[in-house]
Amino acid sequence: MNSLRISEHIVKLRKQKGITQDELASFLGVTKASVSKWENGQSMPDIMLLPEIATYFDVTVDELLGYEPQLSKEQIQKIYGELGENFAQMTFEDAFAKSEALVKKYYSCYLFLLQICVLWINHYMLAEGKERQEEILCKLQKLCNHILENCTNTEICSDVLGIRASVDLFCGRPQETIDGISNLLNPKRALNQSDWLLIQAYIMNGETEKADSYTQAILYLHLLMLIGDSTYFIALHMQDKEICEATIERVDSVIKAYHMEYLHPNVTAGYYYQVAVYKAVCGENEEAVKRLKLYAETSCSLIKSGMLHGDAYFNKLDGWFEELDLGTQMPRNKKLVMQSIRENLNNPVFSELRELREFVRIDRMLAEIIMN
């Protein structure tokens, strides 16, 4: 995120070449005073001279100007973290304006633009009023379209398609969501043997460490999908007690067996919350509160221990996490996450629980964490 640094670059390049200001001025057909002013930052070379200066020093015009249209993964992670803090500490409009300015500056750095899409879809709801939120989603959709029209990286484009499908859903356009991702997520695609083939290829190639690491990552992702999809399965069958209870029994055993409360508290907390909703709808208030307590405790562990990490069983995941675009940092500031977690207790389905002592304790615990 550097501004133009042409003055210091001319000084540096001239000294590396071992020439004087007079020699540079003579080559370019300008006065020594002009070169001196460039190097002191008092003025800048005429735009028509930039290609000539760059050619003389055997650098690109971008390098001469100090302009960096592309960002490294480390820079993107740093900027994302700073912008996340901005949304937590500044007004939404000020924070959003800062992120928009960076979009214009790095409009061809598609990995960065992808992370801006992630940032916006995780914070648009902070905008004041539904109309403004819809405006932000519209900007997000345009940014997604820009990436899809110009980026040649298939992984980035695949992620952007998912974000754009989310925007369509949030804007009440379910058919567009279906059209956008139904082919990508067709269950028939899960029948392919790509994972198995890659694992076997690593083994045959003598790369057992890669085979082990990849297998652990696939197992981990399948566990997350199992718990996440089961959460939606319960929501889909809220009126079918037999299906819901069977699902809860099975998923509970998976969470316990694989220590998912620790491995991925975010997806596990989402599951506990949905079970609490189901129990409340069934009138099982004590069970609903128990699940809300698990939801709150698991959410708190998310803040304390982070969202992504391995354990003694999944001992090869940490290296894989480090390779992710945003590393292990959360997509939203921790304080904003905790505020959202507490606000979920306001769901009308929990209206009969609010006077219960344990519910009050849960709410108070979350409030104290937010304050601290």
Side-chain angles (χ1 to χ4, degrees):
M1 282 197 308
N2 299 319
S3 58
L4 300 184
R5 305 192 306 276
I6 188 169
S7 59
E8 62 185 83
H9 282 195
I10 291 177
V11 174
K12 177 182 176 182
L13 293 167
R14 180 176 61 76
K15 290 182 177 179
Q16 285 178 346
K17 201 172 182 69
I19 62 171
T20 65
Q21 289 183 343
D22 275 325
E23 289 174 303
L24 178 58
S26 176
F27 177 83
L28 296 173
V30 299
T31 65
K32 176 187 175 182
S34 294
V35 174
S36 179
K37 287 181 179 179
W38 297 345
E39 294 187 354
N40 291 329
Q42 294 176 304
S43 65
M44 292 185 65
D46 185 274
I47 191 171
M48 299 302 293
L49 283 175
L50 295 180
E52 194 170 346
I53 299 172
T55 301
Y56 181 70
F57 288 123
D58 193 24
V59 297
T60 65
V61 173
D62 279 353
E63 290 171 329
L64 176 66
L65 295 173
Y67 177 61
E68 300 174 359
Q70 299 297 315
L71 295 165
S72 67
K73 185 174 74 172
E74 292 72 23
Q75 287 174 312
I76 292 173
Q77 290 176 358
K78 183 174 183 295
I79 294 171
Y80 190 99
E82 292 171 351
L83 291 174
E85 288 291 329
N86 290 338
F87 276 105
Q89 299 174 3
M90 302 166 60
T91 66
F92 172 84
E93 294 301 334
D94 286 345
F96 186 77
K98 289 189 68 174
S99 65
E100 269 199 306
L102 290 171
V103 167
K104 294 177 181 178
K105 186 171 184 179
Y106 299 106
Y107 204 51
S108 63
C109 184
Y110 300 114
L111 180 58
F112 174 68
L113 296 185
L114 166 61
Q115 302 313 324
I116 289 293
C117 290
V118 173
L119 181 80
W120 286 358
I121 205 165
N122 276 286
H123 294 87
Y124 82 93
M125 68 290 296
L126 300 178
E128 188 173 349
K130 184 176 180 181
E131 184 176 346
R132 180 54 176 158
Q133 291 176 7
E134 290 176 350
E135 289 176 0
I136 302 301
L137 288 174
C138 183
K139 288 176 181 286
L140 174 53
Q141 185 176 44
K142 288 180 179 178
L143 186 56
C144 287
N145 290 339
H146 165 69
I147 298 171
L148 292 171
E149 290 166 5
N150 296 280
C151 180
T152 58
N153 185 303
T154 54
E155 290 184 10
I156 291 176
C157 290
S158 178
D159 289 342
V160 170
L161 279 172
I163 293 174
R164 190 174 68 175
S166 296
V167 172
D168 284 328
L169 195 63
F170 296 158
C171 291
R173 300 189 293 264
Q175 188 58 51
E176 284 82 348
T177 299
I178 294 170
D179 294 341
I181 60 173
S182 58
N183 288 334
L184 292 174
L185 301 179
N186 192 317
K188 290 184 293 184
R189 294 171 63 92
L191 299 178
N192 69 60
Q193 299 182 354
S194 300
D195 294 340
W196 177 85
L197 288 172
L198 185 56
I199 293 167
Q200 289 298 310
Y202 279 139
I203 294 172
M204 289 177 65
N205 209 35
E207 300 178 86
T208 54
E209 281 294 313
K210 281 190 176 180
D212 189 8
S213 178
Y214 182 76
T215 303
Q216 286 195 23
I218 292 300
L219 283 171
Y220 176 80
L221 290 174
H222 285 173
L223 283 168
L224 297 187
M225 287 189 286
L226 172 65
I227 297 171
D229 292 343
S230 296
T231 301
Y232 290 112
F233 194 58
I234 292 170
L236 188 63
H237 293 280
M238 291 285 283
Q239 306 305 319
D240 192 324
K241 188 176 181 66
E242 184 176 351
I243 288 180
C244 287
E245 293 297 337
T247 303
I248 292 168
E249 180 182 358
R250 296 181 186 208
V251 177
D252 280 351
S253 64
V254 170
I255 289 173
K256 181 179 180 181
Y258 285 94
H259 307 290
M260 295 306 295
E261 289 180 339
Y262 172 78
L263 277 177
H264 204 292
N266 190 38
V267 72
T268 308
Y271 162 75
Y272 285 146
Y273 181 80
Q274 183 58 53
V275 175
V277 170
Y278 161 71
K279 292 294 185 180
V281 169
C282 292
E284 300 178 32
N285 293 345
E286 289 188 9
E287 287 298 316
V289 171
K290 286 180 181 178
R291 291 292 175 160
L292 282 179
K293 184 179 180 182
L294 287 172
Y295 164 69
E297 290 174 346
T298 307
S299 299
C300 291
S301 72
L302 165 66
I303 301 303
K304 294 176 182 177
S305 61
M307 185 168 65
L308 299 174
H309 42 70
D311 63 4
Y313 181 79
F314 287 105
N315 58 4
K316 299 285 174 61
L317 289 182
D318 290 340
W320 177 63
F321 290 144
E322 291 174 2
E323 296 178 4
L324 298 177
D325 294 336
L326 288 179
T328 58
Q329 67 178 309
M330 296 170 60
R332 281 198 292 167
N333 174 271
K334 291 182 178 180
K335 184 175 181 179
L336 292 178
V337 171
M338 291 307 300
Q339 288 175 344
S340 176
I341 289 167
R342 189 189 181 203
E343 287 170 2
N344 285 338
L345 297 183
N346 295 326
N347 189 326
V349 76
F350 302 135
S351 58
E352 294 185 10
L353 312 181
R354 294 200 176 96
E355 301 302 321
L356 298 180
R357 183 179 301 175
E358 190 59 38
F359 185 93
V360 174
R361 286 177 180 172
I362 294 169
D363 186 53
R364 188 178 300 146
M365 176 187 70
L366 294 176
E368 288 175 357
I369 292 175
I370 293 171
M371 291 297 294
N372 296 329

